[in-house]
Amino acid sequence: MAEAADMAGAPHAGVAREDAEAVNKAQNRSLYASRIAIHPRAAHGPFRRLKWILLVVLLGIYYVSPWLRWDRPGDAPDQAILIDLANRRFYFFFIEIWPQEFYYVAGLLIMAGVGLFLVTSLFGRAWCGYACPQTVWTDLYMLVESRIEGDRNARIRLDAAPWTAGKIARRSAKLAVWLLIAIVTGGFWVFYFADAPTLLGELVTGTAPSAAYFTIAILTATTFTFAGFMREQVCTYMCPWPRIQGAMLDEDSLIVTYNAWRGEPRMAGRKKADAQGLTHGDCVDCNACVAVCPMGIDIRDGNQLECINCALCIDACNTVMEKVGSPKGLISYTTARIYAENAAGRPAAWTWRQLLRPRTIIYFSVWAAVGLAMLFTLIQRSQLDVNVVPDRNPLFVTLSDGAIRNGYTVKILNKRQQERGFRLAIDGLPGATMEMVGDSGDKGRSFDITVPPDKLRAVKIYVTTADPEVLEHERRNFHFRIEELGASGEPDRVSYDAIF
């Protein structure tokens, strides 16, 4: 037994045992203890490369998007992506969303939520491990940290070292770069809400609105704190998704798993164990999977709330398996069903067909239905919107000749970037005439109205009738009909129901 214990602790030839502890696993955490810093070792492999690629792409989208230009006619802004709160517009390239079309935003949020459910049911916490802003900016901060302070062992030594001029210089340089990234992150966020070049000039000269400086300050503080110092604590304590995602998983969801049926019993001195006929698994107990984990856990402890499925432990373990001459995949993306089959001695492997199951089909169907419905309404939506508001006080006026007059405010919204003319008429009200307040005072059953580009025009209309058929009823339904004039193609038409 003593020899087996010695072999269990001895490093395998060519593989150094990492002095790493899973400080963030549930058994080692305490709400009343100070955070123990996690210094992940740099990982190398396909999953780490995928994370670098996604980091560059996602940060590129975030930092570049506000500067993209899109030519729009008239006075409309030429920023491709703009949330124009002052004028109550949202621009996304050729799409313009008005306040009354907020259902598009609601639809996008529904698609995002259902899409997250779909991704989680398929690939576990892939969103958390690869695309979550907390993960992306934390990876960026750790990259800066490793470039300035060195890899894992160098950072640990620097933490333990006394405060010398060299340590102060390194820490100051790191914090300065972190702060610069945080300021740029906050600054680029506000560029989505105003013309980016104009706002940048105002920020530099000190003439920007106070709300812009306040927003930048808040986002600078949160980015600097969350990505620099809290890191895994945001995922463990603050984010609700680790606790929700359990309901999204099933036994066919792909998650990062340590295949204990193959790795146990773990042992480092495998050659001596083979010589003595001792049973051992493929795990050489090198702790490489613990050393690279940004969440500070040991994947060999099983599926855990803290695991973000970043798969860096897979890269680290595969590297070790290559060195010791064992097959890769001791840690791998697999499902609970496949794990159970292999543990029972029935070899099983994942296939693409396992993506198609009732849960994922339902999620995808809902996601696609919402997306297609939004696309259809976007394609079919009219460039004319009309709203009619009847006067509430008084409800009606009886004129000296016995006729009844009602007042209405007709609001015509021109969604195009050019001036348009419209004809306003009434239908379904016998003997009625209209009078437009502020006009020449002429009466008739129709009026021509001009609406500026991308603007709303409100006109006050008096509708009068002395027709006995109308007067003998308390209420009478009729229609305001608005039709575009001079359209090059099919004119926009709207019929609005009203009550006299």
Side-chain angles (χ1 to χ4, degrees), residues 35 196 228 363 385 414 416:
R35 172 182 180 264
Y363 285 151
D385 198 11
N414 176 17
R416 291 185 178 168

Side-chain angles (χ1 to χ4, degrees), residues 258-264 329 338-340 342-344:
Y258 168 65
N259 295 303
W261 54 268
R262 175 186 152 187
E264 299 297 324
I338 293 174
Y339 180 91
N342 283 297

Side-chain angles (χ1 to χ4, degrees), residues 19 21 88 110 156 180 220 253 266 291 372 406 420 488 491:
D19 184 15
E21 182 183 1
R88 294 179 295 178
I110 292 172
I156 293 175
L180 178 62
T220 297
S253 300
R266 65 189 74 162
L372 290 174
N406 282 355
R420 300 163 75 193
S488 57

Side-chain angles (χ1 to χ4, degrees), residues 307-327:
C307 179
I308 60 173
N309 273 29
C310 65
L312 296 182
C313 54
I314 297 179
D315 284 339
C317 186
N318 284 344
T319 300
V320 173
M321 290 297 101
E322 284 184 333
K323 291 181 179 179
V324 300
S326 295

Side-chain angles (χ1 to χ4, degrees), residues 387-408:
N387 188 31
V388 178
V389 182
D391 287 353
R392 299 298 183 186
N393 188 23
L395 293 177
F396 65 91
V397 174
T398 303
L399 303 180
S400 58
D401 60 357
I404 300 296
R405 186 183 75 187
N406 282 355
Y408 303 87

Side-chain angles (χ1 to χ4, degrees), residues 122-201:
L122 290 173
F123 309 112
R125 291 177 64 186
W127 160 261
C128 301
Y130 296 92
C132 175
Q134 173 66 18
T135 297
V136 172
W137 264 270
T138 297
D139 272 357
L140 180 60
Y141 270 46
M142 288 195 295
L143 175 64
V144 171
E145 186 175 54
S146 64
R147 290 292 184 269
I148 295 176
E149 295 185 352
D151 201 357
R152 181 176 185 272
N153 293 335
R155 296 198 300 274
I156 293 175
R157 289 194 299 269
L158 187 65
D159 273 357
W163 284 96
T164 62
K167 180 174 180 177
I168 293 174
R170 287 179 178 270
R171 286 290 161 86
S172 299
K174 178 185 74 174
L175 295 176
V177 177
W178 281 2
L179 183 60
L180 178 62
I181 294 173
I183 293 172
V184 172
T185 299
F188 276 68
W189 175 257
V190 299
F191 291 155
Y192 284 92
F193 297 86
D195 183 66
T198 303
L199 182 56
L200 177 60

